[in-house]
Amino acid sequence: MSSKKEKSPKILSHKVKYSAYLSQIIFFLVKYFQFLLIHFLLLRVSILQACYHAKSCFFLLANPLTFCYNDVKNQRGKIMPQQLFKEFAQLDQVEAIVLGGSRAGQHFDKDSDYDVYIYLTDSIAPTTRRDILSKYCSYMEIGNQFWELEDDCVLKSKIEIELIYRTLDSFDKDLQTVVLDHQAQNAYTTCMWHNLLHSKIIYDRDGRYEALQNKYRRPYPAELKKNIIKKQLLLLDQAMPAFSKQIEKALKRQDLLSINHRSSEFFASYFDLLFALNEQTHPGEKRMLEFAKTNCMLLPQHFEENIQTYFQKLYTEPAEAIKLINQLVTTIKPVIPQEIIGSF
């Protein structure tokens, strides 16, 4: 008889069950802690993201100024020079900072610069502007004044930035001349109106810029539309010094500089008419053809083809170029409603 006492099958069965239960409990505990860990990490990421966005879109009360970086992170993930804007916003003379141009919207590329409009109550000393910009820019031209007072710089990210200095009162006055008084210009009549409506506010101390946007957010005036079309038709074809006639003379002389100059003036006038006809504010000198194709319902027959062919033949087949420039004028006239033509 064996000296060792054998364990009963019943006891062994209970131990196996307990081991199985224990394994299941450990398994569920591990899964539970994994669940908690994952949610903790997700919560932590969410908090960090919230803090990050709170930094890039924040409100600062002082003096009492309301400072708001409004949508300054663009769609492609590149963060704009927020600290630069913050430094300018802290100056007493600055009442609004606004982003314009292609980077205020969707249609920009890697070479697109920043068009920044800084609205002042008083001038900022060039030395002050230089001190701020030198922190963020690798190249600076301070105080250029070819059109408006501006600082033209290259950011350390190698992207160009233009800071244009204006006053809200003068901007409002220029807008009133066009939008309320319906005065047509030789070209780009509604560019400033477009700039106002499509710009993005970075800083608006007293809310005056937003108030200006609301003031001019209105339907396209019929009188302005008529005045632009009338003036541009005269410049394109009807008056003695019309651009089409000047282009024809230049082509016959093969005066290349004059050909280039008159062609630029012709198309500046042509697109001013076209945008007014379609009650679209003028987007500026870049991508006009694309803008017209996307936003204008009324377009002349063979519009894009005629423009492209004109430039292809401009310096090689002057006779064909003359035909095309006249065709551009004759094809736009049928698109203009008769009630507008009859009102001249």
Side-chain angles (χ1 to χ4, degrees):
M1 187 176 176
S2 172
S3 61
K4 291 185 179 179
K5 192 174 181 179
E6 290 184 3
K7 295 180 180 178
S8 87
K10 190 173 181 180
I11 294 172
L12 286 172
S13 174
H14 283 307
K15 284 190 174 181
V16 170
K17 285 182 180 178
Y18 292 147
S19 297
Y21 290 147
L22 186 60
S23 297
Q24 288 181 353
I25 290 168
I26 292 170
F27 174 80
F28 284 118
L29 284 173
V30 170
K31 290 294 182 184
Y32 180 69
F33 282 114
Q34 285 179 342
F35 173 83
L36 289 176
L37 180 62
I38 290 169
H39 277 70
F40 172 77
L41 291 173
L42 288 174
L43 179 63
R44 188 169 181 270
V45 169
S46 298
I47 291 170
L48 288 172
Q49 286 178 336
C51 291
Y52 177 80
H53 289 298
K55 285 176 69 179
S56 62
C57 182
F58 66 95
F59 295 88
L60 171 67
L61 245 56
N63 294 332
L65 306 182
T66 301
F67 184 94
C68 177
Y69 283 113
N70 185 13
D71 195 22
V72 295
K73 188 179 179 186
N74 67 41
Q75 297 287 333
R76 301 188 186 182
K78 290 186 179 178
I79 300 170
M80 289 170 45
Q82 298 174 15
Q83 195 63 29
L84 185 156
F85 300 146
K86 182 179 177 182
E87 289 204 39
F88 270 102
Q90 289 171 346
L91 299 176
D92 291 339
Q93 303 97 313
V94 175
E95 62 174 332
I97 303 174
V98 174
L99 179 67
S102 57
R103 283 194 180 266
Q106 303 289 328
H107 305 291
F108 63 90
D109 53 43
K110 63 181 179 64
D111 297 319
S112 298
D113 59 4
Y114 289 115
D115 298 316
V116 181
Y117 298 88
I118 299 181
Y119 291 89
L120 307 173
T121 57
D122 199 0
S123 60
I124 305 170
T127 52
T128 304
R129 304 199 316 260
R130 183 182 295 276
D131 288 344
I132 294 173
L133 291 168
S134 62
K135 301 174 189 177
Y136 309 97
C137 300
S138 58
Y139 176 80
M140 298 176 292
E141 292 182 5
I142 305 297
N144 284 340
Q145 203 160 1
F146 303 113
W147 295 274
E148 300 179 76
L149 176 63
E150 60 186 67
D151 297 330
D152 300 305
C153 308
V154 180
L155 293 165
K156 291 180 180 178
S157 62
K158 298 182 180 178
I159 300 174
E160 293 181 9
I161 183 169
E162 294 178 33
L163 297 99
I164 300 158
Y165 303 95
R166 297 173 172 171
T167 69
L168 281 171
D169 289 337
S170 64
F171 189 40
D172 187 11
K173 187 177 179 181
D174 290 339
L175 288 164
Q176 182 173 322
T177 300
V178 173
V179 185
L180 303 182
D181 299 339
H182 312 138
Q183 292 185 25
Q185 299 172 7
N186 286 353
Y188 304 103
T189 300
T190 56
C191 269
M192 280 201 166
W193 189 18
H194 185 92
N195 176 273
L196 172 74
L197 296 179
H198 296 275
S199 58
K200 288 191 175 182
I201 298 172
I202 296 170
Y203 169 68
D204 196 9
R205 184 178 66 196
D206 304 314
R208 286 189 67 203
Y209 193 88
E210 185 180 7
L212 206 63
Q213 285 184 321
N214 293 332
K215 176 181 177 180
Y216 290 103
R217 193 172 279 116
R218 57 178 63 213
Y220 202 106
E223 190 67 19
L224 175 62
K225 175 180 178 178
K226 184 187 79 172
N227 290 345
I228 293 173
I229 291 172
K230 180 179 180 180
K231 183 161 193 169
Q232 303 312 340
L233 279 176
L234 288 169
L235 289 170
L236 287 171
D237 178 61
Q238 294 173 353
M240 283 186 66
F243 298 135
S244 58
K245 297 172 184 176
Q246 297 298 323
I247 290 170
E248 186 171 348
K249 289 179 182 178
L251 282 166
K252 287 177 178 177
R253 297 179 187 132
Q254 277 299 285
D255 184 344
L256 299 183
L257 292 177
S258 181
I259 291 169
N260 183 68
H261 175 64
R262 297 300 183 185
S263 294
S264 295
E265 289 183 317
F266 175 89
F267 283 104
S269 181
Y270 184 88
F271 277 96
D272 206 36
L273 186 157
L274 192 62
F275 294 139
L277 177 63
N278 285 274
E279 299 183 2
Q280 295 287 329
T281 53
H282 199 305
E285 76 277 7
K286 298 174 185 174
R287 300 185 180 92
M288 288 191 291
L289 189 60
E290 293 173 24
F291 185 87
K293 285 162 56 182
T294 304
N295 297 282
C296 297
M297 297 294 293
L298 299 172
L299 291 174
Q301 192 175 18
H302 307 302
F303 161 70
E304 184 178 11
E305 179 187 344
N306 284 342
I307 292 174
Q308 290 179 342
T309 308
Y310 171 76
F311 283 106
Q312 288 167 4
K313 298 186 179 294
L314 186 56
Y315 299 106
T316 56
E317 300 178 49
E320 286 300 311
I322 290 170
K323 289 180 185 177
L324 284 161
I325 205 73
N326 289 325
Q327 194 172 340
L328 281 163
V329 173
T330 55
T331 55
I332 202 170
K333 289 178 180 177
V335 186
I336 302 170
Q338 283 303 309
E339 59 267 24
I340 293 180
I341 297 286
S343 66
F344 295 165

